Amino acid sequence: MALVTTAEVCDANPQLIVSGELRALQPVFQIYGRRQVFSGPIVTLKVFEDNVLVREFLEEKGNGRVLVVDGGGSLRCAILGGNPVVQAQNNGWAGIVVNGCIRDVDEINGCDIGVRALASHPMKANKKGNGEKHVPITFAGTRICDGEWLYADTDGILITRTELSV
């Protein structure tokens, strides 16, 4: 999103907002990682207090994609930690958005990747492998589908059905 902010995208595209093509997530996320601005095609994952599938995705080549994880909004444990984020950075993921908690914040803040999460929590997640890949998810007031596009900066997070030409 070359030098165009999420606010400018919203101001320039009121028709896309009205039609639902352009949606903003509710402002509930904390900003982590060195990359405050990131964008890319979305890969969705739905889990609850289990991080096996999160780790599996981040072991794959990211190719500039953004992993969007619906962790059910749980504040009881972290479903993302420093090691998988380092792996995601090294595998070319643009960012990770978690509707849940992370841990190893200092390590994550040293990584050149964008991470958004509700909060940090010191307890680790279960490792059962439960969850659903590539499914529509809904959180922060927005339905998010696999293959849509995410744009994030310090003003917020936008979801669009297709890549924006800016």
Side-chain angles (χ1 to χ4, degrees):
M1 210 167 71
L3 303 176
V4 177
T5 67
T6 55
E8 290 169 328
V9 169
C10 289
D11 291 351
N13 295 287
Q15 73 287 356
L16 294 180
I17 295 170
V18 170
S19 72
E21 292 278 325
L22 177 62
R23 295 152 351 253
L25 295 185
Q26 294 168 343
V28 295
F29 297 96
Q30 303 296 315
I31 297 173
Y32 302 98
R34 286 198 339 240
R35 194 180 299 177
Q36 294 192 336
V37 177
F38 61 95
S39 63
I42 293 170
V43 177
T44 60
L45 178 59
K46 186 172 188 162
V47 298
F48 187 73
E49 298 180 356
D50 189 316
N51 73 348
V52 171
L53 297 180
V54 175
R55 293 181 75 100
E56 283 179 9
F57 263 119
L58 298 176
E59 289 170 358
E60 299 173 9
K61 291 295 180 195
N63 300 315
R65 295 177 296 168
V66 177
L67 181 61
V68 180
V69 183
D70 182 0
S74 174
L75 300 177
R76 300 190 311 185
C77 66
I79 57 172
L80 181 67
N83 290 338
V85 173
V86 168
Q87 199 160 33
Q89 168 196 258
N90 295 340
N91 284 339
W93 288 86
I96 308 162
V97 176
V98 178
N99 182 34
C101 292
I102 65 168
R103 69 184 201 164
D104 306 321
V105 170
D106 291 340
E107 185 176 4
I108 289 171
N109 283 341
C111 293
D112 184 24
I113 191 169
V115 177
R116 301 290 190 275
L118 297 178
S120 61
H121 197 294
M123 293 178 70
K124 67 181 178 180
N126 295 315
K127 300 200 180 317
K128 296 178 182 174
N130 297 330
E132 298 175 86
K133 302 176 180 181
H134 307 290
V135 295
I137 54 180
T138 302
F139 62 83
T142 304
R143 186 170 194 259
I144 304 165
C145 296
D146 207 73
E148 291 186 309
W149 277 73
L150 182 142
Y151 298 87
D153 65 14
T154 54
D155 282 336
I157 302 171
L158 298 177
I159 305 295
T160 64
R161 292 202 177 114
T162 58
E163 183 177 8
L164 294 174
S165 55
V166 290

